[in-house]
Amino acid sequence: MAASVDSLDAGRRPAPRSGSVPWVAMYHSVGDCSDDPYRITVTPERLERQLAWLRRRGLRGVSVTELLAARARGEGRGLVGLTFDDGYTDFLTTALPLLRRFHCGATLFVLPGRLGGDNEWDPLGPRKPLLTADGIRRVAEAGVEIGSHGLTHVDLTRADDATLTAEVAGSRARLEELTGAPAAGFCYPYGTVDARAVEAVREAGYAYACAIDPGPLTGPHALPRAHVGQDDTALRLHLKLRLHRLRRRAVEGV
């Protein structure tokens, strides 16, 4: 009888190529995905299996800051970045307990201009509540890195100068006031990025920024990420990791 895809580890852990771009997984919400037109949700059961897959392969999920710092020391082998966009309430109630169970860290990118709101930028699908200020502080106190996803989730490549400054520099100031800690990371809403947005993020003082597929802009302030969703079984995760190792070229600074 053939093994199910969830039981496959697809061989031994691949050795990372020297100087390759770090592998960073992109999550959003963890909960009911029966109505999920944007494919932003994984069930708790699927996330549990994905985290177990990492550990079976000798990999551990960490925050982006921890990942980059380890790589700078030459100690990044066996680490992958785990990121969660938007700051949904279910990160605190559902994702965080699973991360703790598997001894994983993560970076949560939040919207300080939408505290306690919902994902109104998504016209389709259910309304998903966002963390309040108190919820974000609780996540930070649990050891999760908090980064900025902008103030209100707008496409920075279409923003005028004032909006760009508010979304990038303004969100960092509000986030640091909220948490009492430096905000090292930024995440481009929708994953869209151009040279102007990258420069704004760099000038605002962020140490790094995450995109999705930034192409020639790839670097410390435009890190590529792999979308991880409900359909990503062990075999699919293995293929995504392999594809990343083959496609991503070494970039100075990461």
Side-chain angles (χ1 to χ4, degrees):
M1 181 181 295
S4 68
V5 290
D6 271 328
S7 68
L8 294 175
D9 284 332
R12 294 171 294 180
R13 183 182 71 197
R17 292 187 300 122
S18 175
S20 63
V21 177
W23 197 68
V24 181
M26 177 182 67
Y27 288 92
H28 289 78
S29 176
V30 182
D32 179 12
C33 63
S34 58
D35 184 9
D36 188 34
Y38 299 103
R39 300 191 307 119
I40 64 169
T41 309
V42 297
T43 63
E45 294 78 15
R46 178 61 72 195
L47 178 60
E48 181 178 15
R49 291 172 187 154
Q50 291 166 345
L51 295 176
W53 175 84
L54 287 176
R55 298 316 300 262
R56 288 197 304 270
R57 292 178 63 81
L59 300 170
R60 183 169 67 89
V62 297
S63 70
V64 179
T65 286
E66 182 176 347
L67 175 64
L68 297 181
R71 287 173 64 88
R73 298 190 303 268
E75 301 171 358
R77 183 182 179 87
L79 300 180
V80 298
L82 297 182
T83 63
F84 291 77
D85 291 6
D86 302 333
Y88 294 107
T89 300
D90 58 40
F91 180 86
L92 178 61
T93 60
T94 308
L96 184 55
L98 288 171
L99 291 170
R100 283 174 162 170
R101 184 188 308 174
F102 287 93
H103 305 288
C104 289
T107 298
L108 178 67
F109 293 111
V110 303
L111 299 155
R114 293 189 182 272
L115 301 176
D118 61 32
N119 59 328
E120 66 178 50
W121 61 86
D122 289 333
L124 304 176
R127 298 302 89 198
K128 289 178 172 285
L130 303 174
L131 288 166
T132 63
D134 179 66
I136 291 173
R137 283 190 287 264
R138 289 173 60 190
V139 170
E141 289 167 359
V144 174
E145 179 185 21
I146 304 296
S148 173
H149 201 27
L151 272 180
T152 58
H153 205 286
V154 301
D155 183 345
L156 298 184
T157 65
R158 300 181 179 183
D160 58 33
D161 289 346
T163 301
L164 181 62
T165 299
E167 291 287 332
V168 176
S171 69
R172 185 171 193 240
R174 289 180 62 172
L175 196 55
E176 291 180 346
E177 180 180 1
L178 173 65
T179 64
F186 186 85
C187 175
Y188 299 98
Y190 305 104
T192 55
V193 60
D194 59 14
R196 175 170 164 263
V198 170
E199 184 58 25
V201 168
R202 184 183 294 111
E203 289 184 352
Y206 293 97
Y208 72 85
C210 290
I212 298 177
D213 189 7
L217 292 173
T218 296
H221 291 91
L223 294 170
R225 293 184 295 168
H227 166 75
V228 179
Q230 180 65 14
D231 293 335
D232 286 316
T233 60
L235 181 57
R236 283 174 58 96
L237 286 175
H238 169 77
L239 294 175
K240 285 187 175 185
L241 181 58
R242 276 291 185 188
L243 182 62
H244 171 84
R245 304 236 191 254
L246 291 172
R247 290 179 57 196
R248 301 299 184 189
R249 296 171 180 257
V251 176
E252 183 179 355
V254 295

